[in-house]
Every structure is written in structure tokens, then in C-alpha cells.
Amino acid sequence: MDSLDAQLTTKLSALTEQGLHRSLRVMESARGPRITCAGRELINFSSNDYLGLAYHPAVAQAMNEATVRWGVGSTASRLICGTTSEHAALEEELAAAKGTEAALVFSTGVAAATGTIPALVGKGDVIIMDKLAHACLIDGARASEATLRIFSHNDLEKLESHLGWAREKHPDAKVMIITESVFSMDGDLAPLRELVELKERFGAILFLDEAHAVGVRGQGVQGLAGELGLNGRIEIQMGTLGKALGVSGGYIAGSRMLIDFLINRARSFIFSTAPPPAVAAACRAALRIVQSPEGGSLKVRLWENIQLLASSLEIPIAPSAIIPLILGSEERAMAGATLLSDAGFFVPAIRYPTVPRQTARLRITLSAAHEPDQIRELAAALAVSSAD
Ligand SMILES: *Cc1c(COP(=O)(O)O)cnc(C)c1O
């Protein structure tokens, strides 16, 4: 038997041959859309900081002040002594902002998903999930040991047939539908109204991941659920505090009963050191901004930027801040990213296993912080690189 390193070398070479090897890019500075990477300044079109809050002075100040007051670490898990008044206030304010009875904050969105799904469904239950659901939703579903059925992306007919199957074969099972409202690699929307209607018709429950919708769609942090007036009809609303909110963490919003249950049963919540109090304080400041008139104007700027990219590229306007340009092969996507980087733009090539094979793409994300000229210049560079 080869040593571990020898085995790993073989596996990594296979990835390299397939154009799938990945490595870390180190940012030497990053402030808004301008980043420095490998000594070069680039305009960043890959961040999830949709509203530019990651470096907002009021958010930074809240974090600094809370660090002075509380110190840096939370010192224990939430159920021991890691829950501070900052965490409690953040959860109350999040629930109020989402229009739910309660909310629970986890250290990441990944932890929110992988802790919550197996807490709520298990062996003998059924999960029906969209094919393009995020890795953490897949991991949560697998860890639950529930029977897993996948429906093709946004395919309501297939979903309905799985629901019918579940009701017939597992009449007493809990049935959970899992999907995203804005899909992370395609930027398209789930047909949420129809999905909620189907869910209700079959007596299932819905776990909705709004990671890329919050702060982009709907008022404040209402997401697509709030925009469509559906929050009262969705049992489990999940989101992250690390994207449009610009900080770090994940949350579940729902009924008081749901949250009390998760406090007792979500393993990633129970067995993990609480997020630092200063992170909770920064999230509170970000939440206040998103809900304020300033947040409203940032959202207007974001949507102006989304519109500007669409008109510059002569493509239909995207329903979110994620614009994928699907190129097919890994090599084409990598070559496109390199050409753009040479022109001064950072747009990542997204490859298998993040997206299915032969759907490798350039994934552009826009922010309220982009200047219109930066977007026009990106569009011009894309026109040149696709002409090559
Ligand atoms: C980013 C993301 C998550 C994970 O959230 P983190 O806070 O980054 O752990 C979950 N679901 C989707 C769809 C995401 O894009």
C-alpha cells in the first residue's frame, strides 16, 4: 500500500488531467469591488457581498465596539455560556425582520442546513429535493437517513409525482421538500408559489434556502418568500449572514416551536462554539442597514447594476445578482477566466463538482458597490474574449 501522500498525489493528478484541480487564491487586499491578488489589482465580480456591507463603516464600528465590550471569543457553545445578549437580540431582530415567531443563529449557513435537516426528518421519512440544491442541503439530507428523491431542476410535474409516490408508499412519513429560492450557480428562481401550493396539497413541509435571495429579492431580508407574501406558509426559512448581510453565520427562521426544537436537537448548533458576540453585533448593524432607507437605495443600485450588465451584454435581465455564462467544457471556462483576468477582472470559472459536467461556466456576481463603468468595461472584455 502506498503512503497516504502517494495515494493523494495520484488522485490529484487525475483531477489536474481533467482540468478540475483547484487551489486557493490569496487576496492581498479586498475592499469592495477592488481586490489585489498575486500583486495585481482586479475588479472583483465573484463576491456575494451584494450590498457592499462587508466593509460598511457602521457594521465595522459595531463589530469593533462589541469586541471592546465582549472580547473576541464566545468561550463556549450556545447552550453553555456562549449565548450573549448580542446573540439573543440578533435572533429577535431577525425573526421580526423575517416576519416569523422566532429565529436561530448558527455559526454558518452550512451548519444551519446540516444541523436542521437531520433534526427534523429521519429514517422512514421522505425528502424531495431539487437537483441543483446546494451541497449543504444534500449533506443534511444524507445525514438524516430519510429516503431521498430528487426532482429535475424546478420541475413541478416531477415534484408532484414524487409527492404522490411518497403519500402512497409512505402514508405516515413526514415529507420534506428542500429547495433554494435563488439558485446559487444559476441565479434563477424556484417557482415558489406553485411549490407552496403543491406542498400544501400533499401535506408536506418546506425547507427553503434563501442564501442568495435575502437582501436581493423582497423588502429588507424578506427574500423571495416575503416578496411573494408566502412567509407564513413556509415552515423552515434558512439563510446566511455571510452574503448580502456581509458578515458571517447562518440562520433558521420559523415558529417558536421549531426553534425550541432545534435548540434541543440540531447537532451543529449544540456541539459547536457560539459565533463571537462581535459577529452577532455586526450582523445586527447590517440587518438595521438592510431594513433602512439606505438599504433600500443600495438594493436599487444593485438592481440598476443587474439591468446595466444585461443591457450591455444584450441578454435578458437576470432575476438575481448571479449571472452565469455557461461555456460547457472545463477548459473553455478556465480559458475565459484567464482572459478576463488578463483584462483586469476577476470572474471565477465554476466547474464540476460545483456544477454538472459540461456546464462549466463563468459566474458573474454583481454588487451595489460596482461602479457602472466597471460593469461596462467587464461587458466589453467579455465581448472581446468570446470573439476569440
Ligand atoms: C453559501 C450558501 C450556503 C452556505 O452558507 P454559509 O453561510 O456560507 O455557510 C448555503 N446554501 C446556499 C444556497 C449557499 O449559496
Side-chain angles (χ1 to χ4, degrees), residues 23-40 42 44 46 346:
S23 57
L24 297 174
R25 246 176 240 106
V26 178
M27 304 296 133
E28 288 129 19
S29 78
R31 223 176 152 70
R34 282 183 200 283
I35 56 175
T36 315
C37 183
R40 292 187 55 224
L42 299 170
N44 187 10
S46 71
F346 179 52

Coordinates of all heavy atoms in Angstrom, one line a residue, residues 23-40 42 44 46 346:
S23 N -7.1 25.4 -6.4 CA -6.2 25.8 -5.4 C -6.7 27.2 -4.9 O -7.5 27.8 -5.5 CB -4.8 25.9 -6.0 OG -4.8 26.8 -7.1
L24 N -6.1 27.6 -3.8 CA -6.5 28.8 -3.2 C -5.9 30.0 -3.8 O -4.7 30.0 -4.2 CB -6.2 28.8 -1.7 CG -6.9 27.7 -0.9 CD1 -6.3 27.6 0.5 CD2 -8.4 27.9 -0.9
R25 N -6.7 31.1 -3.9 CA -6.2 32.4 -4.4 C -6.2 33.3 -3.2 O -7.1 33.4 -2.5 CB -7.3 33.0 -5.3 CG -7.0 33.1 -6.7 CD -8.3 33.6 -7.4 NE -8.7 32.7 -8.4 CZ -9.7 31.8 -8.3 NH1 -10.5 31.9 -7.2 NH2 -9.9 31.0 -9.2
V26 N -5.0 33.9 -2.9 CA -4.9 34.7 -1.7 C -5.1 36.2 -2.1 O -4.5 36.7 -2.9 CB -3.5 34.5 -1.1 CG1 -3.3 35.4 0.1 CG2 -3.3 33.0 -0.7
M27 N -6.1 36.8 -1.4 CA -6.3 38.2 -1.6 C -5.4 39.0 -0.7 O -5.4 38.8 0.5 CB -7.8 38.6 -1.2 CG -8.9 37.7 -1.9 SD -8.9 38.0 -3.6 CE -9.0 36.4 -4.2
E28 N -4.6 39.9 -1.3 CA -3.7 40.7 -0.5 C -4.4 42.0 0.0 O -3.9 42.6 0.9 CB -2.4 41.0 -1.4 CG -1.6 39.8 -1.6 CD -1.2 39.5 -3.0 OE1 -1.3 40.5 -3.8 OE2 -0.8 38.4 -3.3
S29 N -5.4 42.4 -0.7 CA -6.3 43.4 -0.2 C -7.6 43.2 -0.8 O -7.7 42.7 -1.9 CB -5.7 44.8 -0.5 OG -6.0 45.1 -1.8
A30 N -8.7 43.6 -0.1 CA -10.0 43.5 -0.7 C -10.9 44.5 0.0 O -11.1 44.5 1.2 CB -10.5 42.1 -0.4
R31 N -11.3 45.5 -0.8 CA -12.2 46.5 -0.2 C -13.2 46.8 -1.3 O -12.9 47.4 -2.3 CB -11.4 47.7 0.1 CG -11.8 48.3 1.5 CD -11.1 49.4 2.0 NE -12.0 50.2 2.8 CZ -12.4 49.8 4.0 NH1 -12.0 48.7 4.5 NH2 -13.2 50.6 4.7
G32 N -14.4 46.2 -1.1 CA -15.4 46.4 -2.2 C -14.9 45.7 -3.4 O -14.2 44.7 -3.4
P33 N -15.3 46.2 -4.6 CA -15.0 45.5 -5.8 C -13.5 45.5 -6.2 O -13.2 44.8 -7.1 CB -15.8 46.3 -6.9 CG -16.7 47.2 -6.1 CD -16.1 47.4 -4.8
R34 N -12.7 46.3 -5.6 CA -11.2 46.3 -5.9 C -10.5 45.3 -5.0 O -10.5 45.4 -3.8 CB -10.6 47.7 -5.7 CG -11.0 48.6 -6.8 CD -10.3 49.9 -6.7 NE -11.1 50.8 -7.5 CZ -10.9 50.9 -8.9 NH1 -10.0 50.1 -9.5 NH2 -11.7 51.7 -9.6
I35 N -9.9 44.3 -5.6 CA -9.1 43.4 -4.9 C -7.7 43.3 -5.4 O -7.4 43.7 -6.6 CB -9.7 41.9 -4.9 CG1 -9.8 41.5 -6.4 CG2 -11.0 41.9 -4.2 CD1 -10.3 40.0 -6.5
T36 N -6.7 42.9 -4.6 CA -5.4 42.7 -5.1 C -5.1 41.2 -4.8 O -5.3 40.7 -3.8 CB -4.3 43.6 -4.4 OG1 -4.8 44.9 -4.3 CG2 -3.0 43.6 -5.1
C37 N -4.6 40.6 -5.9 CA -4.4 39.1 -5.9 C -3.2 38.9 -6.7 O -3.1 39.4 -7.9 CB -5.7 38.5 -6.5 SG -5.6 36.7 -6.4
A38 N -2.2 38.2 -6.2 CA -0.9 37.9 -6.8 C -0.3 39.2 -7.4 O 0.2 39.3 -8.5 CB -1.1 36.9 -8.0
G39 N -0.4 40.2 -6.6 CA 0.3 41.5 -6.9 C -0.5 42.4 -7.9 O 0.0 43.4 -8.3
R40 N -1.6 41.9 -8.4 CA -2.4 42.6 -9.4 C -3.7 43.1 -8.9 O -4.4 42.4 -8.2 CB -2.6 41.8 -10.6 CG -1.4 41.4 -11.4 CD -1.7 40.6 -12.6 NE -2.6 41.4 -13.5 CZ -3.7 40.9 -14.1 NH1 -4.0 39.6 -13.9 NH2 -4.5 41.7 -14.8
L42 N -7.5 43.8 -9.4 CA -8.6 43.3 -10.3 C -9.9 43.9 -9.8 O -10.0 44.2 -8.6 CB -8.6 41.8 -10.2 CG -7.4 41.0 -10.7 CD1 -7.6 39.5 -10.4 CD2 -7.2 41.2 -12.2
N44 N -13.5 42.9 -8.9 CA -14.0 41.6 -8.4 C -15.5 41.4 -8.8 O -16.3 42.2 -8.4 CB -13.8 41.5 -6.9 CG -14.2 40.2 -6.3 OD1 -14.4 39.2 -7.1 ND2 -14.3 40.1 -5.0
S46 N -17.0 38.3 -8.2 CA -17.2 37.0 -7.6 C -17.7 37.0 -6.2 O -18.0 35.9 -5.6 CB -15.9 36.2 -7.7 OG -15.0 36.7 -6.7
F346 N -11.8 39.9 -12.1 CA -11.9 38.6 -11.5 C -13.3 38.0 -11.7 O -14.2 38.5 -11.0 CB -11.4 38.5 -10.1 CG -11.5 37.2 -9.5 CD1 -10.9 36.1 -10.2 CD2 -12.2 36.9 -8.3 CE1 -11.0 34.8 -9.7 CE2 -12.3 35.6 -7.9 CZ -11.7 34.6 -8.5

